[in-house]
């Protein structure tokens, strides 16, 4: 893996781990330090994407790699900047391929530019199409921190709760995290109810069980039984 300034490597590694573990201050510092590096890197790269947009894409990659580093690569032989730059190179390849595919499929035999109007109604440019669903760096940092905290909230709830609610709440969390459809979630809840009662659960029973589980979680938070839940209101 590519080596960088040793002191900077060590500092960024520490910030990445703290950030991934839910430290909002470290998250801010991580972004502040890596952002100018990636802006400079983006300015040197060839891409039909605007350089500012490209730097933003690289920042999203950097935040994801901070979590990867903390969870998988923090073994003393790797550094988070190395992971980031390697991932950014791959992201650049994907971006350039996407622009090429867009040109071939939508604009064959036409002059193409990032300002060309596209879409079914011709109401957005190619650049806007690529970036329309992109979240800001600040939003992504908050999302990552909240994701970590919410996982701990569910874990703490399960540890302090008995019965079906301790099984249903993690299913609801998993369903939201992985975009399950309603049928899949209902099927999973039905299995929990059948294990408990021995009988097949109808839709009304499943709905009530889901509602009661969420109310139990809410009550546990409101009663202060899950202190980490207060961190879900972080604002950077």
């Amino acid at each position: 893996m590519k080596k960088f300034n040793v002191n900077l490597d060590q500092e960024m590694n520490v910030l990445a781990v703290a950030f991934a573990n839910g430290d909002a201050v470290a998250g801010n510092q991580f972004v502040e330090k890596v952002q100018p590096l990636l802006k400079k890197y983006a300015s040197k790269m060839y891409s039909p994407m605007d350089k500012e947009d490209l730097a933003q894409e690289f920042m999203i990659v950097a935040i994801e790699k901070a979590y990867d580093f903390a969870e998988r690569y923090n073994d003393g032989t790797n550094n988070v900047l190395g992971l980031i730059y390697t991932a950014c190179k791959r992201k650049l390849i994907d971006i350039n391929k996407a622009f090429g595919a867009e040109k071939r499929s939508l604009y064959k035999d036409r002059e193409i530019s990032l300002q060309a109007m596209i879409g079914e109604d011709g109401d957005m440019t190619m650049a806007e199409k690529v970036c329309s669903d992109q979240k800001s760096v600040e939003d992504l940092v908050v999302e990552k921190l909240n994701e970590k905290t919410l996982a701990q909230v569910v874990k703490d709830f399960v540890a302090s709760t008995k019965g079906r609610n301790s099984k249903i709440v993690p299913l609801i969390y998993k369903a939201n995290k992985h975009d399950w459809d309603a049928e899949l979630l209902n099927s999973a809840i039905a299995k929990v109810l059948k294990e408990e009662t021995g009988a097949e659960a109808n839709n009304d029973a499943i709905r009530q069980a889901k509602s009661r589980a969420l109310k139990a979680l809410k009550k546990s938070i409101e009663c202060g039984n899950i202190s980490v839940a207060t961190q879900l209101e972080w604002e950077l």
Side-chain angles (χ1 to χ4, degrees), residues 4 46 48 105 112 149 169:
F4 298 87
Y46 167 75
S105 63
I112 305 302
T149 303
V169 166

Side-chain angles (χ1 to χ4, degrees), residues 48-49 93-120 124-132:
M49 178 176 280
I93 292 172
D94 291 341
I95 289 171
N96 289 346
K97 284 182 178 178
F99 271 102
E102 192 77 34
K103 290 178 183 180
R104 289 191 298 273
S105 63
L106 297 179
Y107 303 102
K108 186 177 181 180
D109 300 326
R110 289 176 54 189
E111 181 180 353
I112 305 302
S113 78
L114 293 184
Q115 301 308 314
M117 302 306 295
I118 64 173
E120 293 183 0
M124 70 169 64
T125 66
M126 181 183 285
E128 289 170 340
K129 176 179 173 62
V130 172
C131 301
S132 61

Side-chain angles (χ1 to χ4, degrees), residues 131-145:
C131 301
S132 61
D133 295 328
Q134 179 176 296
K135 298 177 181 178
S136 70
V137 171
E138 292 77 10
D139 287 344
L140 193 60
V141 170
V142 172
E143 182 181 282
K144 284 291 185 180
L145 291 170

Side-chain angles (χ1 to χ4, degrees), residues 52-228:
E52 288 293 325
D53 292 335
L54 183 60
Q56 183 85 345
E57 290 282 354
F58 287 166
M59 273 304 308
I60 293 173
V61 169
I63 292 170
E64 293 172 348
K65 291 300 111 179
Y67 278 75
D68 284 349
F69 174 78
E71 295 171 1
R72 301 169 55 191
Y73 299 107
N74 186 23
D75 58 5
T77 63
N78 298 305
N79 65 76
V80 70
L81 286 179
L83 289 176
I84 290 170
Y85 279 100
T86 298
C88 285
K89 288 179 182 178
R90 293 171 182 161
K91 182 67 175 180
L92 180 63
I93 292 172
D94 291 341
I95 289 171
N96 289 346
K97 284 182 178 178
F99 271 102
E102 192 77 34
K103 290 178 183 180
R104 289 191 298 273
S105 63
L106 297 179
Y107 303 102
K108 186 177 181 180
D109 300 326
R110 289 176 54 189
E111 181 180 353
I112 305 302
S113 78
L114 293 184
Q115 301 308 314
M117 302 306 295
I118 64 173
E120 293 183 0
D121 300 321
D123 56 357
M124 70 169 64
T125 66
M126 181 183 285
E128 289 170 340
K129 176 179 173 62
V130 172
C131 301
S132 61
D133 295 328
Q134 179 176 296
K135 298 177 181 178
S136 70
V137 171
E138 292 77 10
D139 287 344
L140 193 60
V141 170
V142 172
E143 182 181 282
K144 284 291 185 180
L145 291 170
N146 281 345
E147 180 181 325
K148 189 84 172 183
T149 303
L150 185 56
Q152 188 62 48
V153 167
V154 173
K155 183 178 180 180
D156 289 352
F157 175 78
V158 171
S160 62
T161 305
K162 297 180 180 180
R164 64 171 64 171
N165 290 341
S166 67
K167 298 178 181 179
I168 293 176
V169 166
L171 288 174
I172 296 171
Y173 168 71
K174 189 175 181 180
N176 280 276
K177 183 177 181 180
H178 298 292
D179 294 323
W180 289 5
D181 59 30
E183 183 178 353
L184 180 57
L185 175 58
N186 288 345
S187 176
I189 293 175
K191 290 180 181 179
V192 172
L193 299 181
K194 185 175 182 179
E195 289 176 358
E196 181 182 281
T197 66
E200 296 290 344
N202 59 32
N203 290 336
D204 189 51
I206 293 171
R207 179 185 59 77
Q208 290 183 20
K210 179 181 177 181
S211 177
R212 288 168 181 166
L214 290 173
K215 287 179 180 178
L217 174 61
K218 181 179 179 182
K219 183 177 180 180
S220 185
I221 291 173
E222 290 176 344
C223 291
N225 297 333
I226 307 178
S227 59
V228 71

